[in-house]
Amino acid sequence: MKKFLFLLPVFLILTLFVSCKDANKGTKVEIFLSKTWPKEKAAAWMAEQPWLVGCDYIPANAINQLEMWQAETFDTVTIAKEMTLAKSIGFNTLRVYLHSLAWEADSAGFKNRINTFLDITSRNGIRPLFVIFDDCWNPYPKIGAQPQGIPFTHNSGWVQDPGMDAHKNWEAAFPKLERYVKDLLTSFADDKRILMWDLYNEPGNAGPISKDVPRPAAYGNESMPLVKKVFEWARAVNPSQPLTMGIWNLDLKELNEFQIANSDILTYHNYSNLEDHAREIKFLQMHGRPMICTEYMSRGSKSTFADILPLLKENHIGAINWGFINGKTQTIYPWDSWDKEYKGVPDLWFHDIFNADHTPYDANEVELIKSLTGVN
């Protein structure tokens, strides 16, 4: 969700992590054994899929994950209309964020709403990729009515999951989070309507609280405990769908090594231009796993459909862009809208494809998407 260029070295995929200290000093020996799919199984799974194309999706009338999934604001009418629109341009997948607080408040209802959502997507030939945790934006999520957002500001209502309080005391947070992950994955472990599971969006990132509060420092490797645990919990359930955790900032070497080693399908984020994106693809292809770009397309940083979508198709890489319909998340505004004052709709939209009335922001872009997905 944030801008990072990917021109740093690639890391070796490991299948066995061993951390041990001198036993004579009485320190604990800790071993992590990866249960990642063999590369052959991952390749076979990918070969069964169409070219995967879609967007990071939230309904236009939801400001964040909680407004999308809570019973009071879960809107099947809007979702159904938007899924018809997604199908019309050839989208066959969506990356969709869940939230543990929606489960905590009403686990049965939350899962029923996921099932309803899957009924709608499946009728349109769309198989979503669900995101479980997220380190981006407001670190203090709260259940109930969600804020209206800051005018002209990019993603001003988005919330982290589980948030800063959990980061301050992982041991206290883990029992509830483990129950959530295992209940969720067990309930949908063999659901063919689901493409895969993205266990944690941009671990180590952070985000602003408001324009009046200093921006907290990024978590960095402080997120590693949950990164390890969510893989452990997910592998214990062993769902039929592949697991992944997208790399987004290669400065975070320890996190990247672990994420790459434990992902069945390699996913990544890149908001840079054609040259830089192509360079990262060459780096990541060295790992020998199928790939999906799960975030790209920010016109202001020259990550455009015209440049990037053909590149991804040529390299047999899934393509999931950020944004769909201009709505309450306001992601037509750039990241710097948190620091600069915008007073109206920018001439150059940062993200998103359609206006609120479902007309395209750029008809040529939509025709390009349709031509590459085979709708035309």
Side-chain angles (χ1 to χ4, degrees):
M1 288 187 187
K2 289 285 287 179
K3 53 180 178 181
F4 285 95
L5 303 183
F6 299 91
L7 303 179
L8 301 173
V10 179
F11 304 108
L12 176 66
I13 287 184
L14 305 176
T15 56
L16 180 66
F17 284 89
V18 181
S19 175
C20 48
K21 298 181 180 179
D22 187 351
N24 294 327
K25 296 180 181 179
T27 53
K28 182 180 179 180
V29 177
E30 182 180 0
I31 297 176
F32 178 85
L33 180 63
S34 172
K35 298 179 181 178
T36 311
W37 284 8
K39 292 180 181 180
E40 296 78 11
K41 180 177 180 180
W45 177 88
M46 194 62 145
E48 294 175 352
Q49 313 306 319
W51 180 44
L52 297 168
V53 188
C55 65
D56 285 82
Y57 171 75
I58 186 165
N61 60 353
I63 198 166
N64 61 26
Q65 315 93 302
L66 288 168
E67 195 160 54
M68 175 177 180
W69 290 110
Q70 290 180 141
E72 296 79 8
T73 45
F74 182 64
D75 185 351
T76 57
V77 173
T78 295
I79 291 170
K81 291 177 180 177
E82 293 177 354
M83 290 305 98
T84 300
L85 182 62
K87 179 182 179 180
S88 74
I89 61 172
F91 280 3
N92 53 32
T93 190
L94 303 168
R95 186 166 177 254
V96 181
Y97 288 72
L98 306 175
H99 205 287
S100 62
L101 290 184
W103 170 86
E104 183 180 0
D106 176 18
S107 60
F110 177 62
K111 290 186 292 183
N112 285 338
R113 290 187 287 279
I114 292 175
N115 187 65
T116 299
F117 179 79
L118 290 170
D119 282 342
I120 297 170
T121 58
S122 64
R123 288 199 298 267
N124 289 279
I126 294 170
R127 298 171 67 208
L129 159 61
F130 283 127
V131 183
I132 297 181
F133 294 127
D134 185 5
D135 268 356
C136 286
W137 304 105
N138 193 314
Y140 298 108
K142 295 180 181 179
I143 204 70
Q146 298 302 298
Q148 291 302 304
I150 305 170
F152 314 126
T153 304
H154 179 104
N155 230 355
S156 65
W158 201 268
V159 289
Q160 296 177 17
D161 186 10
M164 188 175 289
D165 290 341
H167 278 75
K168 291 178 179 178
N169 191 344
W170 282 127
E171 293 305 315
F174 281 161
K176 181 189 73 175
L177 298 178
E178 179 178 5
R179 291 193 298 273
Y180 166 56
V181 172
K182 289 185 174 180
D183 183 30
L184 178 66
L185 293 185
T186 299
S187 298
F188 296 98
D190 295 310
D191 197 318
K192 297 185 183 303
R193 298 171 298 176
I194 297 173
L195 181 70
M196 52 194 297
W197 299 96
D198 189 340
L199 300 180
Y200 198 159
N201 177 67
E202 298 194 355
N205 207 342
I209 299 171
S210 75
K211 289 192 173 184
D212 301 322
V213 177
R215 187 179 304 227
Y219 295 121
N221 285 332
E222 294 176 8
S223 297
M224 180 60 83
L226 184 56
V227 168
K228 291 183 176 181
K229 283 295 185 182
V230 70
F231 268 114
E232 176 187 322
W233 300 331
R235 294 297 180 191
V237 175
N238 191 29
S240 60
Q241 308 94 345
L243 307 178
T244 191
M245 189 183 294
I247 59 173
W248 65 278
N249 178 3
L250 294 183
D251 280 331
L252 300 173
K253 184 175 184 295
E254 182 182 357
L255 280 162
N256 284 298
E257 288 179 345
F258 197 89
Q259 290 170 244
I260 292 172
N262 289 280
S263 291
D264 302 322
I265 306 300
L266 185 57
T267 58
Y268 70 98
H269 300 173
N270 189 304
Y271 286 111
S272 57
N273 62 26
L274 175 62
E275 181 182 0
D276 290 343
H277 199 139
R279 185 180 293 113
E280 185 179 8
I281 287 173
K282 291 185 182 297
F283 289 161
L284 297 179
Q285 285 173 332
M286 296 171 61
H287 295 292
R289 285 192 174 271
M291 292 163 55
I292 303 173
C293 180
T294 49
E295 289 190 28
Y296 79 100
M297 212 294 286
S298 52
R299 298 176 185 91
S301 59
K302 299 183 180 180
S303 175
T304 64
F305 286 117
D307 282 343
I308 306 303
L309 195 56
L311 173 71
L312 296 175
K313 185 172 185 178
E314 177 184 353
N315 285 276
H316 309 290
I317 296 171
I320 300 177
N321 71 277
W322 187 271
F324 188 47
I325 297 174
N326 177 24
K328 292 179 74 172
T329 59
Q330 302 180 149
T331 53
I332 64 170
Y333 297 92
W335 296 306
D336 70 9
S337 59
W338 279 93
D339 305 307
K340 297 180 181 179
E341 184 179 359
Y342 285 76
K343 296 182 178 180
V345 174
D347 292 333
L348 182 68
W349 283 17
F350 200 64
H351 297 315
D352 299 325
I353 303 170
F354 292 99
N355 289 285
D357 63 1
H358 295 188
T359 58
Y361 160 71
D362 183 336
N364 290 330
E365 281 185 345
V366 170
E367 289 306 308
L368 173 67
I369 294 168
K370 292 168 69 174
S371 67
L372 291 171
T373 58
V375 172
N376 283 350

